[in-house]
Amino acid sequence: DAISTPAKEDPREAEYDQQRFALDWQAPLLAEHNWSAGMALFQENLTQIHNGIYEVEKGTRRHSVDLYLQDQLFFDYAALQPGTPLSEESDGEMELVPGLRLTQDSDFGLDLAPKLNARFDLPAQADRTMFLRAGIGRGYRVANLKERHYLFDHSHLGYVVEGNPDL
């Protein structure tokens, strides 16, 4: 193979760092509930210099705080029938997991993402067990600083990776 683009010297310096701290808590409450809660703190910094000129300003940073809460509930199918008391020896044949995640981001503001997941055990067959899962929720992810601002120029190899500030 012949190189179609001659190599060129195009120095570009970049510094990227990130820090993350997370705290998770789980506790069973009553026989049918398993609560989870937590928080995450995140910070990232990006600086990029090309030929002595800042392409991404020194001190460009983003930080966020996430808080979440969810409950894992277990039920017997029989307990859902009117007039049937909940058994002390629940098989947990149905599981519901409602939850909320709250995110505060320095660049994108406040977001609330709810979810609801369910699992239903189907009647067991002789050689297998089966279950049905369903879920609905709202996902949310912020583009990081590299995805929004970073420029990685390898045009001498045939490609350039450019961040998109509109993400």
Side-chain angles (χ1 to χ4, degrees):
D1 283 344
I3 298 175
S4 62
T5 306
K8 69 176 194 174
E9 184 64 30
D10 194 16
R12 187 172 262 109
E13 297 175 34
E15 289 184 30
Y16 177 77
D17 64 83
Q18 62 180 2
Q19 298 84 35
R20 180 177 168 83
F21 172 79
L23 181 64
D24 294 306
W25 170 81
Q26 294 185 3
L29 297 175
L30 307 173
E32 301 87 17
H33 295 267
N34 188 18
W35 286 91
S36 299
M39 66 174 286
L41 306 174
F42 178 78
Q43 178 177 305
E44 64 179 338
N45 305 291
L46 174 65
T47 300
Q48 187 166 351
I49 303 171
H50 180 238
N51 292 329
I53 298 170
Y54 282 98
E55 291 180 322
V56 177
E57 287 300 318
K58 185 174 186 173
T60 299
R61 66 184 57 189
R62 182 183 73 82
H63 59 273
S64 65
V65 176
D66 289 289
L67 302 172
Y68 78 87
L69 177 67
Q70 77 176 27
D71 186 12
Q72 194 173 13
L73 299 111
F74 301 95
F75 301 97
D76 275 340
Y77 284 138
L80 298 177
Q81 302 300 321
T84 307
L86 181 62
S87 168
E88 286 292 324
E89 298 182 14
S90 173
D91 292 334
E93 294 173 350
M94 186 171 90
E95 174 186 350
L96 291 176
V97 184
L100 290 172
R101 177 176 291 270
L102 181 67
T103 301
Q104 172 61 46
D105 186 87
S106 60
D107 290 351
F108 296 95
L110 195 63
D111 183 78
L112 182 64
K115 74 169 189 173
L116 178 63
N117 294 310
R119 175 185 160 145
F120 304 92
D121 290 343
L122 299 174
Q125 304 295 319
D127 60 342
R128 66 179 173 254
T129 58
M130 297 186 341
F131 57 87
L132 177 66
R133 283 189 193 267
I136 188 167
R138 186 173 172 280
Y140 178 73
R141 185 182 83 82
V142 169
N144 67 33
L145 291 178
K146 286 175 77 174
E147 293 167 328
R148 291 170 38 218
H149 302 291
Y150 193 65
L151 177 62
F152 187 71
D153 187 352
H154 267 201
S155 54
H156 65 282
L157 296 175
Y159 69 95
V160 175
V161 177
E162 276 188 80
N164 181 349
D166 295 328
L167 289 178

